[in-house]
Amino acid sequence: MGSEPVLPKGTRPLDVQVAGHRHGAGKTKLGMLQSEEDAHLIYKAVQNPPRGTRELEFYQQVFSPACTDVQLLQLKRFMPHFAGVYYYKETPDVPYLKLENIVSKFRKPCVADIKMGPCTYDPTASAEKIASEVQKFPAVVRIGFQFTGLQVHDPTRNKTECLDKFWCRSLKEEEFLINGVGKFFGLDHHLRKDVIKALLEKLQLIQDWFDTQTELAFYASSLLVVYEGEVQNASRHGTTMNGPESSDLLKTKSDGTEVNSDHPLVDVRMIDFTHVFKSETKDENYLFGLRNLIRYLNELLQLG
Ligand SMILES: O=P(O)(O)O[C@@H]1[C@@H](OP(=O)(O)O)[C@H](OP(=O)(O)O)[C@H](O)[C@H](OP(=O)(O)O)[C@H]1OP(=O)(O)O
Ligand SMILES: Nc1ncnc2c1ncn2[C@@H]1O[C@H](COP(=O)(O)OP(=O)(O)O)[C@@H](O)[C@H]1O
């Protein structure tokens, strides 16, 4: 493939992509696309084998109409919907995974790609790959998870900030709660306790699944967390809001929590299955990350 990747007609690079392989960048130049016509679908280029084909086969297995595996059927709830493989005329050699875009239903999406587990390399990794992974964010062995990219919307300034993997890796362990997890949930302007509580409920369901399944091990897999950054009435956060359409978005209940009338408040899905392997035991690597993420979120609730 040449240096200028072909952009199939009617597509553009994914509008909101916080991490991972990007169209036109990196070694393969292949990444995420979206259709100009339907923002609710994304097209993920299948990367070179074995990583790309492993992910493709995994989606096909889980979403096969013939799938009867109870664990996989349960897991499906936590994944973006998979609508098959798609080939563009212009790039007939590149299969794309046609996936549900879980960000497009949010008006001002706050997005975090959270890579789960202290071990981010799979059992087939070379010594070089292990060394490269281990030095990226050494504190992950204690924290158990890491951010690989963030997008945060601050409604008080009507500003959206994007933080790349280098920013995420530069976080020190001692500032991780406040400047990492806290930053994503608005600690520096208005801590989104409503979002954190709703997210904790969803994470509990994922943890319940991991507590029972002994079939699969997920390495370098992420949780994609998305929440609505636009709030109904920002005056209580120090400024006015930015448009009439926001007025009906979040309603405040009598107990102070915000509920979403038209749009979801928060979504979380498991993504990136390029290093999923068969197993015969619980995935303690992923579970360590998940328990710690839940612990960090509960600590955050005690602040602010
Ligand atoms: O470390 P490398 O060179 O193996 O490249 C990583 C990729 O490995 P690959 O070349 O596809 O086997 C790697 O892919 P995998 O997670 O190994 O599938 C990531 O894309 C990684 O970026 P990040 O740490 O998740 O932000 C990539 O890391 P960066 O090079 O972007 O730091
Ligand atoms: N289903 C999805 N809906 C919306 N955005 C997504 C979805 N899947 C991935 N993304 C975006 O693309 C990025 C990279 O996704 P990922 O599957 O991890 O790719 P890679 O294998 O290149 O690392 C994520 O950080 C996120 O911003």
Side-chain angles (χ1 to χ4, degrees):
M1 174 158 304
S3 55
E4 279 303 310
V6 177
L7 191 58
K9 195 158 171 275
T11 70
R12 62 171 187 262
L14 185 59
D15 285 346
V16 179
Q17 180 171 349
V18 298
H21 300 85
R22 290 184 161 78
H23 180 84
K27 292 172 225 166
T28 65
K29 314 261 183 244
L30 295 171
M32 301 282 190
L33 299 177
Q34 74 180 52
S35 147
E36 299 276 13
E37 275 170 12
D38 187 353
H40 300 302
L41 289 175
I42 65 167
Y43 296 81
K44 177 175 179 176
V46 173
Q47 300 287 336
N48 293 331
R51 57 197 299 290
T53 38
R54 204 157 39 213
E55 179 168 52
L56 165 61
E57 284 162 15
F58 184 64
Y59 268 111
Q60 285 176 326
Q61 184 189 7
V62 175
F63 284 84
S64 162
C67 176
T68 53
D69 182 311
V70 176
Q71 294 293 2
L72 295 185
L73 291 172
Q74 292 287 322
L75 170 67
K76 208 155 101 165
R77 296 173 291 160
F78 309 127
M79 296 169 66
H81 180 74
F82 169 65
V85 181
Y86 190 79
Y87 290 88
Y88 292 103
K89 269 203 311 286
E90 296 90 334
T91 53
D93 299 335
V94 185
Y96 281 82
L97 307 175
K98 195 172 172 182
L99 298 167
E100 170 191 2
N101 183 344
I102 72 150
V103 173
S104 55
K105 52 189 183 278
F106 294 86
R107 299 185 191 199
K108 295 284 184 191
C110 297
V111 186
D113 184 314
I114 309 179
K115 197 182 272 198
M116 301 301 291
C119 175
T120 61
Y121 52 87
D122 70 46
T124 68
S126 65
E128 290 74 21
K129 177 66 176 171
I130 295 174
S132 140
E133 287 298 322
V134 165
Q135 57 80 33
K136 284 180 186 174
F137 186 60
V140 76
V141 295
R142 290 176 295 279
I143 296 175
F145 64 94
Q146 61 191 298
F147 294 113
T148 60
L150 296 174
Q151 172 169 304
V152 196
H153 179 71
D154 175 354
T156 64
R157 296 185 299 141
N158 195 23
K159 283 255 159 24
T160 301
E161 192 177 7
C162 297
L163 300 159
D164 67 11
K165 64 183 175 188
F166 302 108
W167 183 92
C168 294
R169 288 176 194 163
S170 73
L171 285 169
K172 302 269 175 296
E173 193 170 352
E174 55 276 17
E175 62 169 343
F176 194 78
L177 175 66
I178 305 292
N179 297 335
V181 187
K183 182 167 182 70
F184 180 61
F185 291 102
L187 187 61
D188 52 4
H189 48 278
H190 166 61
L191 181 64
R192 292 296 299 273
K193 291 191 174 183
D194 56 333
V195 170
I196 297 172
K197 286 176 191 165
L199 176 60
L200 279 167
E201 285 179 18
K202 292 174 190 281
L203 291 178
Q204 188 57 54
L205 298 176
I206 297 178
Q207 189 185 325
D208 292 345
W209 183 79
F210 272 95
D211 274 331
T212 55
Q213 76 86 24
T214 53
E215 288 178 26
L216 297 165
F218 298 77
Y219 300 95
S221 183
S222 291
L223 284 175
L224 191 63
V225 175
V226 192
Y227 73 85
E228 183 53 65
E230 186 174 83
V231 290
Q232 180 194 13
N233 178 6
S235 57
R236 67 198 161 85
H237 310 318
T239 186
T240 54
M241 266 317 285
N242 51 320
E245 64 175 15
S246 63
S247 62
D248 63 350
L249 188 57
L250 295 176
K251 312 255 187 265
T252 304
K253 285 200 297 185
S254 52
D255 66 358
T257 57
E258 287 159 336
V259 290
N260 200 302
S261 49
D262 312 312
H263 295 267
L265 176 62
V266 61
D267 199 351
V268 55
R269 304 294 175 97
M270 293 171 64
I271 61 161
D272 201 345
F273 305 105
T274 49
H275 303 275
V276 173
F277 285 73
K278 284 214 178 317
S279 167
E280 290 177 350
T281 57
K282 273 194 197 182
D283 188 345
E284 290 297 347
N285 182 52
Y286 200 105
L287 269 168
F288 179 73
L290 202 46
R291 289 192 196 108
N292 278 5
L293 175 58
I294 290 170
R295 184 169 58 78
Y296 270 90
L297 293 176
N298 279 312
E299 281 177 27
L300 206 49
L301 283 179
Q302 306 307 311
L303 304 172

